[in-house]
Amino acid sequence: MSTYTSAIERVRELKAKYGNWEHISETDAARMMVQNRFKTGLDIAKYTAKIMRQDMAEYDQDTSKYTQSLGAWHGFIAQQTMYANKKHFGTTSKKYIYLSGWMVAALRSEFGPLPDQSMHEKTAVSDLIEEIYTFLRQADAKVLNDYFRELNAAEEAGQDTKAIQDKIENFESHVVPIIADIDAGFGNEEATYLFAKKLIEAGACALQIENQVSDAKQCGHQAGKVTVPHEDYISKLNAIRYAFLELGVEDGVIVARTDSEGASLTQKIPVSNEPGDLASKYIDFIEMEEVTLETANENDSLLKHDGKLVRPKRLPNGLYQFREETNIDRVVLDCVTALENGADLLWIETPTPNVEHIKMMVDRIKEQQPQAKLVYNNSPSFNWTLNFRKQVIAAWEAEGKDISAYNKDNLMSGDYDDTELNTAADELAKNFQRDAAREAGVFHHLITLPTYHTAALEMNELSKGYFGEDGMLAYVAGVQRKEIRAGVEAVKHQAMAGSDIGDDHKEIFSGENALKAGGGKNTMDQFK
């Protein structure tokens, strides 16, 4: 990627080479070049993959350096997420964007709102990745455009420009890694490979794939999940790695998600070639009953297992059932096997957000894979308040503390919002990510669909006031004044959408003939 100074030199060389570019300004051309540093999605994927690998290495040395992301269902949401990080923390370091298959299905499918069951169009996923990076690149262009305006004004006034030039040369991009949800691959291993290529070409450096049956996929927080044998899953891990390598993204990251903690079914029994192999370990988890040829039913499927003739438990739909209490053992085997076969990070879907529960599984995985690291779903499907209040009550009971003031069957009651219970539960919520990073190997924390809920909440509040007694005051006090007081750049929505960039481009292209949108009659001047 060019710096402003090197870009000026390059344009100067090209002008000398071609000879008839007298109307092209070296500084203006260089300005436009650095405002768009990423020319393709593959440029982005290669750049962000290196960031992610470096972050993983830093976490291995210091678990306080975990990473985070919020799910985005539109490019503008992702853009404003990174704008906010720059505004409040001065950097986008360790901050990613998560692309949730759930939100693509619910909000981006041409079929309309859908459940998270892989029924949405594949292209909706790659289209959203491309859209997100279009908005993040536009954020770069807008901020740099403001810097160049500042530079031009300083030069015209004869002021020292070094500080402004340093801001331009050392500019940190809004472009950050995306962890993209590829569901279960939307088909067989060839379908997974082709789909992965589209996501990588759009800019994704990290792909998350789950071990569910592709055509029976369920949201990780729904019932009815059906997992596949490890051999099937490994073929899809291979397909993704080949896609990364073919496209030159050598640092591409694969996140292997296991749904075995909550799954109780499998679609097929793998072929075991020798006792103790991977297939036989999978078969060991299936519920079976011993039979003889005389007691077996006509058309039963039978196995020889541990020297006995057995009948695997098969449901009317043809699916096989796992033995109860095998879920954690299956999670551990899934994770170890994935790391042994090309995965970089793990994702374990859990029923509740409990650091001790996650730690118990990760500790077992680390016995065989010491560098195991997790991506963890801080899911809105959890009732976080209720879960943490339950954890506090359980801890207090174990300590012998009097809990008679609380009804254990109604801990979500608003009556407890200003109590010691809520204070302790909220402290667990506040510390959950750092505790899980330190104790349970969680490298990356994400919230899958936060802006689905923030949009619903904000529209509930605005609609209540605007269509009610407050009328326009609901927008003035509830939205715009808050934007102004908080310094949210989007309050100047014309500039955020690119009007200033467009005006400057017109001036570069047309000089004094440019017809610009800015000026005294632009109402956005009210927000200066």
Side-chain angles (χ1 to χ4, degrees):
M1 292 180 288
S2 300
T3 65
Y4 181 49
T5 303
S6 65
I8 290 173
E9 291 301 318
R10 180 56 180 157
V11 177
R12 188 169 292 144
E13 292 171 5
L14 291 171
K15 286 183 68 175
K17 177 180 178 180
Y18 291 105
N20 63 343
W21 293 9
E22 64 271 12
H23 295 299
I24 300 299
S25 160
E26 294 98 329
T27 54
D28 287 341
R31 166 182 176 174
M32 294 175 71
M33 290 164 69
V34 300
Q35 283 179 223
N36 183 20
R37 298 183 181 190
F38 303 97
K39 313 310 179 191
T40 70
L42 284 178
D43 291 338
I44 292 171
K46 293 174 184 177
Y47 167 77
T48 54
K50 291 185 184 299
I51 290 175
M52 218 171 151
R53 291 286 179 177
Q54 180 61 36
D55 287 346
M56 290 161 65
E58 290 182 13
Y59 174 82
D60 285 339
Q61 298 300 314
D62 181 354
T63 57
S64 70
K65 295 183 178 180
Y66 59 91
T67 57
Q68 299 167 289
S69 64
L70 292 173
W73 53 271
H74 192 280
F76 181 70
I77 298 296
Q79 181 195 69
Q80 293 306 300
T81 300
M82 288 306 125
Y83 246 98
N85 274 296
K86 280 281 197 84
K87 170 182 167 55
H88 295 294
F89 309 110
T91 181
T92 59
S93 176
K94 305 291 189 293
K95 310 296 189 292
Y96 303 170
I97 296 293
Y98 180 66
L99 189 145
S100 160
W102 193 102
M103 285 213 285
V104 173
L107 298 171
R108 297 300 297 253
S109 172
E110 292 185 12
F111 292 106
L114 296 171
D116 183 20
Q117 295 171 2
S118 289
M119 294 189 287
H120 55 279
E121 312 90 323
K122 293 181 187 179
T123 52
V125 185
S126 53
D127 287 350
L128 179 53
I129 295 171
E130 184 175 358
E131 176 183 291
I132 287 172
Y133 280 128
T134 296
F135 272 81
L136 293 179
R137 289 157 68 193
Q138 193 256 11
D140 283 359
K142 182 193 179 301
V143 174
L144 283 166
N145 194 72
D146 291 343
Y147 290 168
F148 280 114
R149 283 188 165 193
E150 188 181 348
L151 178 64
N152 290 342
E155 289 175 341
E156 289 175 5
Q159 299 171 348
D160 182 18
T161 62
K162 185 179 184 306
I164 305 171
Q165 289 177 332
D166 286 345
K167 285 197 297 185
I168 293 170
E169 295 288 4
N170 299 313
F171 177 76
E172 182 190 52
S173 177
H174 295 82
V175 170
V176 296
I178 282 179
I179 298 176
D181 185 357
I182 196 172
D183 281 18
F186 282 79
N188 62 19
E189 57 269 39
E190 174 68 2
T192 301
Y193 155 76
L194 294 172
F195 188 25
K197 283 180 60 177
K198 292 294 289 184
L199 303 189
I200 298 164
E201 287 170 338
C205 72
L207 300 182
Q208 164 220 328
I209 185 165
E210 60 207 49
N211 68 336
Q212 291 191 45
V213 175
S214 171
D215 59 357
K217 180 260 190 300
Q218 296 276 20
C219 172
H221 295 279
Q222 293 178 328
K225 293 184 289 293
V226 185
T227 62
V228 298
H230 298 99
E231 293 82 357
D232 292 17
Y233 189 62
I234 291 169
S235 70
K236 293 188 176 183
L237 296 179
N238 292 340
I240 294 173
R241 182 62 66 201
Y242 278 114
F244 273 126
L245 291 173
E246 177 183 336
L247 295 173
V249 185
E250 298 175 358
D251 296 317
V253 176
I254 299 176
V255 182
R257 169 178 145 181
T258 174
D259 283 281
S260 290
E261 210 276 0
S264 59
L265 303 169
T266 186
Q267 190 178 53
K268 61 183 181 181
I269 298 175
V271 175
S272 173
N273 294 312
E274 59 182 52
D277 64 10
L278 194 56
S280 72
K281 292 177 182 178
Y282 193 79
I283 293 170
D284 285 343
F285 294 128
I286 296 173
E287 187 171 333
M288 308 172 189
E289 60 177 333
E290 187 175 353
V291 296
T292 65
L293 287 177
E294 289 72 27
T295 61
N297 299 320
E298 191 72 17
N299 298 318
D300 266 351
S301 295
L302 305 178
L303 289 175
K304 180 182 178 182
H305 186 71
D306 288 340
K308 302 173 184 177
L309 187 65
V310 298
R311 175 171 53 210
K313 183 172 182 179
R314 200 173 190 186
L315 304 182
N317 56 18
L319 299 174
Y320 295 96
Q321 186 162 310
F322 289 115
R323 289 185 289 112
E324 290 186 11
E325 309 301 329
T326 64
N327 57 333
I328 303 304
D329 291 337
R330 285 185 279 124
V331 165
V332 173
L333 182 59
D334 291 347
C335 291
V336 170
T337 302
L339 291 175
E340 289 175 344
N341 288 276
D344 302 293
L345 296 168
L346 303 171
W347 174 314
I348 302 173
E349 283 287 3
T350 65
T352 62
N354 187 301
V355 172
E356 288 302 315
H357 182 62
I358 305 166
K359 178 180 178 347
M360 175 269 295
M361 292 184 285
V362 172
D363 284 348
R364 289 185 56 186
I365 295 164
K366 284 188 172 184
E367 290 174 4
Q368 299 177 66
Q369 292 286 329
Q371 293 301 309
K373 292 181 283 295
L374 259 62
V375 171
Y376 188 72
N377 178 7
N378 292 227
S379 176
S381 293
F382 300 144
N383 185 330
W384 289 79
T385 299
L386 181 60
N387 273 292
F388 285 144
R389 286 181 181 181
K390 285 182 176 179
Q391 289 177 35
V392 170
I393 288 292
W396 285 353
E397 278 189 304
E399 296 167 3
K401 187 171 181 176
D402 180 14
I403 61 166
S404 59
Y406 305 102
N407 179 356
K408 291 170 64 176
D409 295 325
N410 190 29
L411 290 177
M412 194 60 202
S413 171
D415 294 340
Y416 302 146
D417 287 355
D418 295 317
T419 64
E420 182 186 5
L421 172 63
N422 190 66
T423 300
D426 281 358
E427 191 68 14
L428 285 180
K430 180 179 179 180
N431 294 324
F432 176 78
Q433 294 190 347
R434 62 175 65 97
D435 289 347
R438 183 185 63 254
E439 301 294 331
V442 178
F443 158 74
H444 185 79
H445 279 281
L446 60 91
I447 306 179
T448 45
L449 38 144
T451 49
Y452 180 90
H453 294 281
T454 57
L457 178 63
E458 289 300 318
M459 291 315 299
N460 176 73
E461 295 304 304
L462 179 58
S463 297
K464 176 183 175 183
Y466 179 72
F467 295 110
E469 291 297 320
D470 287 346
M472 194 57 199
L473 178 61
Y475 178 78
V476 172
V479 180
Q480 190 179 82
R481 191 181 300 152
K482 287 183 177 180
E483 287 181 294
I484 294 170
R485 298 293 183 246
V488 175
E489 279 290 304
V491 73
K492 296 175 280 191
H493 50 258
Q494 304 285 15
M496 183 61 69
S499 63
D500 288 351
I501 297 173
D503 274 358
D504 287 0
H505 285 173
K506 292 174 188 176
E507 189 170 13
I508 291 171
F509 304 152
S510 304
E512 294 180 357
N513 295 330
L515 182 63
K516 298 191 288 187
K521 293 188 177 182
N522 189 318
T523 58
M524 286 287 98
D525 289 347
Q526 297 172 43
F527 296 97
K528 286 185 177 178

